[in-house]
Each structure stands twice: as structure tokens, then as C-alpha cells.
Amino acid sequence: VEVIEDHTFTRSAVSVIGEWDPNATIVELSAEIDANGRGSVGVTMATSGEPVPAWRLAQALRDRTGRAIAVDVQYIMEAVDSAVSD
């Protein structure tokens, strides 16, 4: 039952993260539910835009799952620099 619950929670987290910051890409994700029913999500995101505040993700996850949520977000900033010389 715990494995199924964690899997369902992970799928919810992936969905909510995509809505929370649609301009970023998930690089790494951990999502689990502890023995007290509290969810925790750790995510590393790659983006070329401005980071979205983690509290918004925690709130969106709480709204979707009905659980207390702890969130840790790490952003990796991507930059592209192109040039052509004649």
C-alpha cells in the first residue's frame, strides 16, 4: 500500500510541478510520504527563466493532495550564447 501511495504521490508531484513552472524541466525528483502522512518533495529544475517561489509549489501540492508538504527546490540556470562572425 505504501509503495502505491508513494507512486501516486510522485505522479501528482510531476503533474503539479509542470503546472507550477511550465518553462522549466525536471532534472531530478524525489517525492515520498512519511509515516505521519506528510509529503516531501525535492526537485532540481533546469530553466532559462526566473525561478518560481517554492512556497507556490508547496501550496499547489497541498491543494492537490490534501497533505502537509515540505518542498526543497534547486534551480540550475541554463544560458545560451550564440554568435556569427563574417
Side-chain angles (χ1 to χ4, degrees):
V1 175
E2 289 178 18
V3 172
I4 294 170
E5 193 172 51
D6 279 344
H7 180 70
T8 301
F9 180 66
T10 300
R11 289 184 64 178
S12 293
V14 169
S15 176
V16 170
I17 289 167
E19 296 165 9
W20 163 73
D21 192 346
N23 299 315
T25 302
I26 297 172
V27 175
E28 188 174 337
L29 172 68
S30 66
E32 59 185 32
I33 299 169
D34 68 19
N36 296 320
R38 180 179 174 150
S40 65
V41 174
V43 63
T44 301
M45 306 287 290
T47 188
S48 59
E50 290 292 318
V52 178
W55 68 264
R56 290 186 183 163
L57 176 58
Q59 185 174 26
L61 285 165
R62 185 200 62 219
D63 291 348
R64 175 78 58 93
T65 66
R67 297 177 182 279
I69 304 289
V71 172
D72 288 311
V73 179
Q74 177 181 356
Y75 272 97
I76 300 170
M77 302 309 292
E78 294 181 332
V80 176
D81 186 13
S82 301
V84 176
S85 176
D86 293 330

